[in-house]
Amino acid sequence: MSLNVAKIKELSEKHPKPAIAFTYGTAGFRTKANVLDSVIFRVGLLAVLRSKKQASRVIGVMITASHNAAEDNGVKLVEPLGEMLAQSWEAYASALANAGDNDSLVSVLEDIVKKEQIDLSKPAHVVVARDTRPSGEALVAALKDGVAAMGGELTDFGIQTTPQLHYVTRCLNTKNTPEEYGEPTNEGYYAKLAEAFKRIVKGKPRLSTLHVDAANGVGAPALHKLAQAIGEDSLSVKIENDDISSPSKLNHNAGADFVKVQQRQPEGITLIPGERYASLDGDADRIVFYYADKDGKFKLLDGDKIATLAAGFIMDLVRDAKVTIGGQPIKVGLVQTAYANGSSTAYVKDVLKVPVVFTPTGVKHLHHAAEEFDVGVYFEANGHGTVLFSKAAIKAFHETTGSTDAEKRALETLRGLSDVINQAVGDALSDLLLVEAILVNQGRTFEQWDSAYTDLPSRQEKVKVARRLDFVPIKADTELSKPEGLQAKINAQVAKFNKGRSFVRPSGTEDIVRVYAEADSRENTDLLANIICGIVFDGYGGVGPRRAAFKKVDDAGDVIA
C-alpha cells in the first residue's frame, strides 16, 4: 500500500505554508496562532504515521500554548502511554512543518515511511483535545484534514486540560490489559482521582480552604468538576480567575508561570496571612503554591518544594511499610534540572537521604530519568512534574500485606498515591491532590512545609540574541561548550559570590537565552544575574534594546557600569 498522494496534495492546498521556519522543541510547536494552520495539518499527517508505526496504538494530539498569551497556540504529540513524542521523531515533525511545497511534503512523508519501515495498510487512531483559546477550533479542523489525508481515524475530545488528554491516551492504549489505567473519559479521570484521594485522607481532618488561581484557563472548569467528585467534606477549594469566556484574560497577570517568575500573587487574589493559595497554568499541567507570612510577605512553594515534600513522604511510607522488591529495598529517587534551587538539592540529599540525579531541562528528560527508579519523583521548579511508580513497585504495594497496623496504613497510602498521581504526565490537578493528601496525613500547614529548608534567592532573566543555536549546553544544562570562552567568564563571575551559581541556556522555541542566578542574598543574586546578562548581550550576539540593568564588565571581568 502506498500514500494517497492526490488526497494529501488536495487537502494540503487548504493549508498553505507561510514563509516561516518551524522547530519542534520541548513544548512541541508553539508560536502565534495565525501562522500555525499548515503546521497543525502536517502534525495530523505525522500522527497517523506514528500510530501505524506503533502497531495502530492511539496517538494523542494536544493543541495548546500552555502559559502563553491567548493570541499564541501550539501543538504537541502524545505517545501511547502518555509520554512526550519520541525524540527521534521530533526531526520528522520539523521536516514536515518546513516542507516548502506539496511535492516536498510528499517526499518527506515517503522518506519517513521508508526509514521507519511503516506498514501503511495498518489502521491509525488519533485523539485530539484543545484548551480554551479561540484559535483552537480552527486548528482542530486543520488537524482533521491532516488525519483524513492519511486515512486515519480521529476522535475529538473537545476542550480538556493537557493532562486529561495524556490520561485518555494512556487509558485507551491499556484498556483490557493487565496495565489498564482507567476509564478513558473525563468522568473516569475525575472518578479515579477522587476515589484515590478520599482513600488517602479518610478519617483525617480536612484542611482549610485552598484558594486556586486557574489563570482563566481550562483548569477552572476541570477543577470545579473534580472538587464536586471529591466532595467538600474532603476537599475545600475556592476557584479564582476562572473566566474562560474572555480570551484576553488567559494567563494575563495570572497563573503558575506568572507567580513563579514575578514572585508575587496574581491579579484577583489578595493575600491574607493564614490562608492558603495555589496557581495553575493555562492548560493545567503546572501548579505552584504560596501564602503570606505573619508580616504579609509573599512566600512561594514551587516545584522544588513540591518535589521535596513528595520524596520525603514517599520515602517514609516505603520504610514504614517495609515493602521490598525481590527482597531488595525499593529505590526512591528525585530527578531535578539546573533550575532546582541549590538549597532543595542539599536538603534532599543530606536530610531526606534520597538520591538526586540531574537531567537537561525538559519533561522528556526528567520522565526518562525517573523511570530508572522504583519510585521516581520529578518536578521542574516551575511546578511541572509527577511521580512515576514502576510496575514492580505497584505490584509490591498490592501484594505486601503488612504485619502491623502501621505497615498496613503505609501500604494503603502508597496504593492510593499510585492512583491519585497522574503518571502519564505532570498534572496540576493531580499534584494539587498529592500535596493536599500529604499535608492532611502530616497535619502540616504551608508554613511548616516551607520551613523544611530556606531557598537561596534566585533570579531568571532573558536575553534576546541573534542566534540562540550558537549556545550549546552540556552537563544537564549547567554549563556551555559554546560559544568559546563564555563559560569561563561565567565561572569567573560566579566565584566572586558566596553560594553563587549561574548558567545560560538557549530557549527551545525563540531566539533568546535564559539566564539563571543564585547567591546568598537578593542583592547579590540580582547583581550576578545582571552581570551575566550584560556579558551575553555585549559579547555574544545580543539584539534589540539593551536593558539598563545589565552590567558592563571590562576585559578583566570587573564591573565598570
Side-chain angles (χ1 to χ4, degrees):
M1 187 175 179
S2 59
L3 296 172
N4 188 337
V5 173
K7 190 170 185 179
I8 292 169
K9 289 185 174 182
E10 176 193 349
L11 290 173
S12 179
E13 288 293 333
K14 294 169 55 180
H15 308 281
K17 180 190 177 299
I20 296 173
F22 300 98
T23 302
Y24 193 101
T26 301
F29 293 113
R30 189 178 296 174
T31 186
K32 298 300 179 187
N34 60 5
V35 299
L36 274 173
D37 181 72
S38 67
V39 171
I40 307 294
F41 169 76
R42 295 167 186 212
V43 165
L45 303 175
L46 187 66
V48 171
L49 289 181
R50 187 62 180 161
S51 177
K52 290 175 183 288
K53 173 67 176 180
Q54 295 282 61
S56 302
R57 299 173 85 190
V58 179
I59 296 298
V61 177
M62 185 67 204
I63 296 178
T64 180
S66 188
H67 56 276
N68 284 34
E71 60 267 22
D72 293 346
N73 217 323
V75 62
K76 47 190 173 184
L77 287 100
V78 179
E79 293 278 75
L81 293 183
E83 320 98 301
M84 307 305 290
L85 178 67
Q87 193 166 359
S88 59
W89 277 60
E90 291 180 2
Y92 296 151
S94 297
L96 284 171
N98 291 310
D101 55 36
N102 287 339
D103 287 336
S104 299
L105 179 64
V106 171
S107 177
V108 173
L109 289 170
E110 290 174 338
D111 186 51
I112 296 170
V113 171
K114 182 178 179 181
K115 285 182 178 177
E116 297 293 332
Q117 298 181 314
I118 296 171
D119 181 354
L120 293 175
S121 67
K122 289 184 178 296
H125 307 283
V126 181
V127 293
V128 63
R130 59 187 174 91
D131 66 15
T132 56
R133 295 165 199 274
S135 58
E137 192 170 355
L139 294 178
V140 168
L143 183 84
K144 289 179 178 178
D145 280 350
V147 172
M150 294 292 290
E153 174 190 278
L154 180 70
T155 303
D156 184 357
F157 278 84
I159 293 176
Q160 284 187 324
T161 69
T162 292
Q164 283 178 312
L165 189 276
H166 284 252
Y167 165 87
V168 164
T169 304
R170 184 168 181 150
C171 289
L172 289 169
N173 285 302
T174 57
K175 196 169 185 178
N176 300 321
T177 73
E179 289 79 39
E180 187 160 355
Y181 195 62
E183 179 64 31
T185 63
N186 287 344
E187 292 73 22
Y189 169 87
Y190 299 130
K192 179 178 181 178
L193 268 60
E195 189 276 333
F197 178 75
K198 287 189 283 189
R199 285 195 343 249
I200 299 169
V201 302
K202 184 178 179 180
K204 298 178 176 65
R206 189 199 75 186
L207 297 176
S208 63
T209 297
L210 181 67
H211 300 264
V212 182
D213 153 39
N216 299 304
V218 66
L223 178 56
H224 179 72
K225 291 174 183 175
L226 177 60
Q228 281 186 323
I230 292 172
E232 199 167 351
D233 55 338
S234 297
L235 176 71
S236 176
V237 295
K238 187 175 188 304
I239 304 172
E240 315 278 4
N241 292 329
D242 60 350
D243 184 359
I244 63 172
S245 62
S246 303
S248 62
K249 292 185 178 180
L250 176 65
N251 294 317
H252 180 69
N253 292 338
D257 189 65
F258 174 87
V259 171
K260 169 66 176 171
V261 173
Q262 298 296 323
Q263 297 281 306
R264 63 184 176 91
Q265 74 271 26
E267 284 185 3
I269 286 186
T270 301
L271 290 186
I272 300 172
E275 297 287 308
R276 306 184 314 128
Y277 304 88
S279 285
L280 318 178
D281 72 337
D283 65 336
D285 67 352
R286 298 185 191 182
I287 188 169
V288 295
F289 298 83
Y290 45 99
Y291 67 99
D293 66 14
K294 61 181 178 6
D295 298 320
K297 183 180 178 182
F298 172 86
K299 305 288 283 185
L300 179 66
L301 298 157
D302 63 5
D304 293 340
K305 292 284 188 177
I306 299 170
T308 55
L309 180 73
F313 184 64
I314 291 170
M315 181 65 93
D316 286 344
L317 288 174
V318 167
R319 291 177 182 136
D320 292 345
K322 295 184 172 59
V323 61
T324 61
I325 297 175
Q328 297 298 313
I330 283 183
K331 295 185 296 179
V332 179
L334 177 63
V335 185
Q336 293 186 317
T337 72
Y339 286 104
N341 194 277
S343 290
S344 74
T345 306
Y347 173 72
V348 174
K349 293 167 70 173
D350 301 337
V351 179
L352 299 181
K353 305 298 183 184
V354 174
V356 180
V357 296
F358 283 86
T359 73
T361 302
V363 174
K364 60 191 176 187
H365 302 298
L366 290 153
H367 196 96
H368 179 71
E371 290 176 326
E372 297 301 310
F373 295 98
D374 297 317
V375 182
V377 181
Y378 75 82
F379 276 86
E380 295 180 288
N382 62 24
H384 189 187
T386 191
V387 182
L388 302 183
F389 297 87
S390 69
K391 293 179 185 178
I394 292 174
K395 183 180 179 183
F397 298 160
H398 286 274
E399 291 184 352
T400 305
T401 56
S403 58
T404 67
D405 288 344
E407 290 174 14
K408 291 174 182 177
R409 282 195 301 271
L411 285 164
E412 180 57 27
T413 302
L414 285 167
R415 294 173 194 136
L417 286 177
S418 68
D419 285 332
V420 84
I421 294 167
N422 186 346
Q423 297 180 60
V425 71
D427 182 340
L429 304 189
S430 166
D431 293 338
L432 184 156
L433 297 185
L434 168 66
V435 168
E436 290 289 281
I438 294 173
L439 295 179
V440 165
N441 275 267
Q442 295 179 335
R444 294 168 77 190
T445 65
F446 274 14
E447 291 89 341
Q448 290 167 331
W449 168 21
D450 195 21
S451 67
Y453 67 88
T454 301
D455 277 330
L456 290 169
S458 66
R459 181 163 177 174
Q460 296 183 47
E461 287 287 356
K462 300 175 183 177
V463 180
K464 192 171 183 180
V465 294
R467 294 179 300 278
R468 63 184 165 90
L469 297 182
D470 287 352
F471 296 77
V472 181
I474 57 173
K475 297 182 180 178
D477 289 346
T478 59
E479 295 184 10
L480 291 169
S481 62
K482 292 181 180 179
E484 296 289 341
L486 176 54
Q487 187 59 50
K489 293 178 182 178
I490 295 171
N491 293 345
Q493 295 298 331
V494 167
K496 299 175 183 179
F497 292 84
N498 184 29
K499 296 184 179 178
R501 185 168 74 93
S502 183
F503 63 88
V504 176
R505 57 175 292 271
S507 166
T509 56
E510 50 187 325
D511 273 326
I512 61 171
V513 293
R514 304 185 189 279
V515 175
Y516 179 90
E518 281 179 10
D520 60 340
S521 68
R522 170 53 56 195
E523 181 182 8
N524 282 340
T525 298
D526 291 346
L527 178 58
L528 177 58
N530 284 320
I531 289 172
I532 302 302
C533 287
I535 290 172
V536 171
F537 189 94
D538 295 334
Y540 297 91
V543 296
R546 187 187 193 281
R547 287 179 54 185
F550 291 175
K551 299 297 182 180
K552 284 185 176 292
V553 300
D554 60 20
D555 291 342
D558 296 324
V559 176
I560 56 176

